[in-house]
Amino acid sequence: MTPARPRPFDKAAALTTRVATLLFVLLVLWGLWEGYRWLWIKTGWTKPFVVDETTLPHLHDIVGALFESPQVGGPLLIDLLLDSALFTAKEAVVGFAIGATIGFLLGAVIARFQVLQRGLMPYVVASQTIPILAVAPIVVVGLGSLTISGWTPEDWMRVSVIAAYLTFFPVTVNTVRGLSSADPAAVELMESYAASGWAVFWKLRVPSALPYLFSAFKVAATASVVGAVIGELPSSIQDGLGGAIINFNQYYVLNPENLWATNLIAALLGISFFLVVVLVEKLVVRRGPEELV
Amino acid sequence: MSDFVVSAERVTKTFGKGGVTALQEIDLEVGRGEFISLIGPSGCGKSTLLRVIGDLVEPTAGEILVNGKSAHRARLDRDYGIVFQAAVLYDWRTVSKNISLPLELGGWDRARRANRVREMVELVELEGFEKHYPWQLSGGMQQRVSIARALSFSPALLLMDEPFGALDEMTRERLNLELLRIWAETGSTVIFVTHSISEAVFLSTRVVVMSARPGRITAIVPIDLRQPRTAETREEPRFFELVTEVREALHAGGADEIVAELEALE
């Protein structure tokens, strides 16, 4: 494939194609959902599960539920969920920041000292094999009495720790790879200039690692949202999407659409986190067009 | 103390324990303002010699003095400008920023850097491309940026490792002329590794002929072509005589099959 020269006309055409593709995919997904539902109800098949209003509500009912009030006279579901999403987003952003920072520092140390690669990496990997659902109550409930020189972290900050826990791992792994990815000739060049270790790190290794880092940030951004939602579950926090999930879970049989709608909002939150990272990457990473991921 | 920019004495380099002898007892003296080419078959250690001089590879035995001090000291003093076969430009830096990289490392302030970068861009005739990124340039232009970067801090010695090896013949000949102009303007001392006999003869004040296994110097051919050299220099009878002389020196070095290979490449 030869890269075409970007002309304004091409850009508009490309945008149209992308929007059309998106709409097409959404349409196909809607068709599959509704088609599956229709076929199973029509034939009465029960494998792999019984399909009815409770297990698989109409998509338009799910979207419609967003614009109804769960409680008579109360606010619309979408307003409630957007508030919850904002709360969870705060936990996730803080968790992402903490996790990405720790992940980068850990990765930098491991990349710098080869010995640590064997010594530390197994534990980094092991940390991710522990079920996050088991870690969450230990951190969120267990650290409930934590005070740091008279200052008690708020409840949501402990949830951020769970988000950070899921965030740091991909960042660490890709930092190690990215920092080692610098062109050996470029390293030799820096040596010929008698550049200090710090200069090699900041002027060569970190810029070389940026594409790897952003790949990790994309994974970590969505993971931080998942971490924040899971972190809310074992706590008494009611203000976030995790709280909403527990709440609507209890009334699932009566109102399955509310839980589905909550999941939809949670997914949209994760996607918007992802898109923010993509946007920042476009602004920060300068690469040849053929190398853009 | 010597008047030589480089003086190598019995420099030997072996790789691995009792392994390949890349360089065997190399003696070489390079005077100020000289243009020295190292030529020889693959594996004759010419790139290794360049790297030993530049303190990127440590010799197993022997001594190298650069400006009268150890190669290591010379590297710490930033006496070397290096140009590799690949331009090794930083993708995330513009042409200007690539050229100013060694200046940043040398602690030059912003105004001095900007001034010097402007001079260097002029020197390699890349005006108008200062804000371009490396991947927006042709191979020849990239190599010119690389040369500007190597010369930006006026190093005592310019080390070039087959800098035009990856370029097409036309670009190569044009850059040869340009390199000679830059050499004359800056008065630099150059050590130039190449595979091409005619390139070595055209550029150099002396051609150092090496042979392989073990890598050693078999002949040093002084090149007495008139300065400044021009495109017509390549058509002078003396040019062909010298090309023949270097070729025969390569043959005498016992590298017949590889000489044939070199000629096929040209």
Side-chain angles (χ1 to χ4, degrees):
Chain A
M1 235 173 50
T2 48
R5 277 196 208 92
R7 285 172 296 165
F9 177 76
D10 285 350
K11 274 188 175 177
L15 189 68
T16 313
T17 313
R18 284 183 76 169
V19 171
T21 312
L22 180 69
L23 288 177
F24 179 73
V25 169
L26 286 177
L27 196 71
V28 168
L29 286 176
W30 177 82
L32 283 173
W33 179 291
E34 293 294 334
Y36 183 92
R37 202 188 124 84
W38 176 82
L39 191 64
W40 258 248
I41 289 176
K42 185 89 179 161
T43 56
W45 287 336
T46 56
K47 300 266 156 80
F49 60 90
V50 180
V51 173
D52 57 26
E53 292 300 331
T54 319
T55 53
L56 213 61
H58 279 297
L59 275 180
H60 54 83
D61 284 341
I62 293 170
V63 177
L66 282 170
F67 302 97
E68 286 164 21
S69 306
Q71 284 171 327
V72 182
L76 297 181
L77 180 61
I78 187 155
D79 290 331
L80 290 172
L81 287 180
L82 285 181
D83 280 348
S84 305
L86 217 57
F87 186 85
T88 301
K90 178 176 68 179
E91 296 165 338
V93 166
V94 172
F96 178 85
I98 296 171
T101 307
I102 291 175
F104 178 77
L105 293 177
L106 193 61
V109 169
I110 291 175
R112 173 67 182 77
F113 303 101
Q114 292 292 318
V115 199
L116 291 179
Q117 197 137 356
R118 284 195 189 154
L120 263 178
M121 222 43 189
Y123 299 100
V124 171
V125 174
S127 75
Q128 301 301 304
T129 64
I130 301 169
I132 190 69
L133 268 172
V135 178
I138 297 172
V139 172
V140 177
V141 179
L143 293 185
S145 57
L146 177 78
T147 52
I148 303 161
S149 54
W151 172 73
T152 315
E154 288 182 46
D155 287 349
W156 65 266
M157 294 178 185
R158 279 180 270 129
V159 176
S160 292
V161 174
I162 299 299
Y165 189 87
L166 286 187
T167 299
F168 93 95
F169 178 70
V171 177
T172 298
V173 172
N174 275 25
T175 301
V176 173
R177 275 199 63 193
L179 290 178
S180 321
S181 75
D183 179 3
V187 176
E188 222 176 23
L189 188 75
M190 292 300 259
E191 276 173 24
S192 81
Y193 299 141
S196 67
W198 272 116
V200 177
F201 184 76
W202 286 115
K203 290 187 190 292
L204 174 61
R205 293 199 183 276
V206 170
S208 305
L210 278 183
Y212 293 84
L213 280 179
F214 273 97
S215 298
F217 290 158
K218 284 176 207 165
V219 178
T222 49
S224 71
V225 175
V226 173
V229 170
I230 291 178
E232 288 171 6
L233 298 183
S235 66
S236 53
I237 295 170
Q238 292 295 310
D239 307 329
L241 288 173
I245 286 173
I246 288 197
N247 185 22
F248 292 132
N249 204 19
Q250 287 164 352
Y251 301 103
Y252 186 77
V253 180
L254 289 175
N255 249 327
E257 295 87 3
N258 286 352
L259 186 63
W260 283 101
T262 309
N263 289 343
L264 188 66
I265 297 295
L268 289 176
L269 182 63
I271 291 169
S272 50
F273 266 54
F274 179 86
L275 290 178
V276 168
V277 175
V278 170
L279 190 72
V280 174
E281 180 182 28
K282 284 205 168 169
L283 295 174
V284 170
V285 181
R286 286 260 167 262
R287 278 294 136 106
E290 73 282 359
E291 288 173 74
L292 278 176
V293 187
Chain B
M1 276 301 180
S2 65
D3 300 332
F4 297 111
V5 175
V6 177
S7 106
E9 220 185 300
R10 299 174 73 80
V11 168
T12 298
K13 175 69 193 176
T14 45
F15 286 107
K17 274 189 187 144
V20 192
T21 305
L23 296 173
Q24 192 175 53
E25 305 200 332
I26 300 283
D27 290 311
L28 181 66
E29 285 171 332
V30 180
R32 196 162 307 283
E34 269 203 279
F35 196 122
I36 300 288
S37 283
L38 307 179
I39 193 167
S42 304
C44 73
K46 51 194 190 299
S47 282
T48 306
L49 179 56
L50 194 82
R51 283 177 158 68
V52 169
I53 293 171
D55 191 40
L56 295 173
V57 170
E58 215 174 314
T60 314
E63 196 186 24
I64 294 213
L65 292 180
V66 175
N67 280 337
K69 52 199 172 185
S70 73
H72 184 66
R73 187 67 249 164
R75 181 166 67 83
L76 297 185
D77 288 349
R78 301 198 165 95
D79 283 349
Y80 302 113
I82 298 193
V83 179
F84 296 105
Q85 178 166 5
V88 197
L89 302 175
Y90 291 2
D91 270 353
W92 52 91
R93 283 174 171 250
T94 60
V95 167
S96 291
K97 284 281 192 180
N98 265 292
I99 295 174
S100 78
L101 173 72
L103 307 179
E104 287 170 28
L105 295 170
W108 292 39
D109 66 47
R110 190 178 291 269
R112 269 184 81 207
R113 286 202 312 254
N115 255 331
R116 176 47 69 92
V117 167
R118 201 173 315 119
E119 286 171 25
M120 297 318 294
V121 166
E122 243 170 70
L123 182 72
V124 297
E125 295 174 346
L126 279 175
E127 294 100 329
F129 292 95
E130 293 90 339
K131 296 234 163 356
H132 282 61
Y133 285 91
W135 36 269
Q136 296 172 312
L137 305 178
S138 69
M141 290 164 92
Q142 290 184 8
Q143 205 50 282
R144 282 193 277 172
V145 176
S146 175
I147 291 169
R149 178 182 59 191
L151 288 171
S152 62
F153 54 106
S154 310
L157 185 57
L158 181 60
L159 303 176
M160 306 183 88
D161 191 0
E162 294 187 47
F164 309 136
L167 303 176
D168 64 85
E169 195 63 26
M170 299 280 283
T171 311
R172 173 185 262 206
E173 289 193 0
R174 208 178 58 241
L175 284 180
N176 280 345
L177 279 169
E178 237 179 273
L179 179 59
L180 282 181
R181 175 181 59 77
I182 291 168
W183 172 63
E185 278 179 31
T186 57
S188 346
T189 307
V190 183
I191 300 182
F192 188 95
V193 169
T194 180
H195 262 119
S196 160
I197 298 172
S198 63
E199 184 175 59
V201 170
F202 181 70
L203 292 172
S204 312
T205 54
R206 285 191 295 160
V207 173
V208 174
V209 180
M210 298 179 71
S211 75
R213 285 174 286 271
R216 63 205 147 81
I217 295 177
T218 50
I220 296 183
V221 182
I223 306 295
D224 50 10
L225 293 166
R226 246 176 319 108
Q227 302 279 5
R229 291 169 193 167
T230 62
E232 285 73 47
T233 304
R234 291 180 200 277
E235 280 145 32
E236 287 174 21
R238 184 64 188 143
F239 177 78
F240 291 109
E241 283 170 33
L242 287 164
V243 165
T244 307
E245 198 176 324
V246 170
R247 180 173 294 133
E248 277 166 3
L250 279 164
H251 280 274
D256 286 5
E257 73 283 10
I258 305 166
V259 173
E261 209 178 288
L262 282 179
E263 283 166 359
L265 278 173
E266 280 186 37

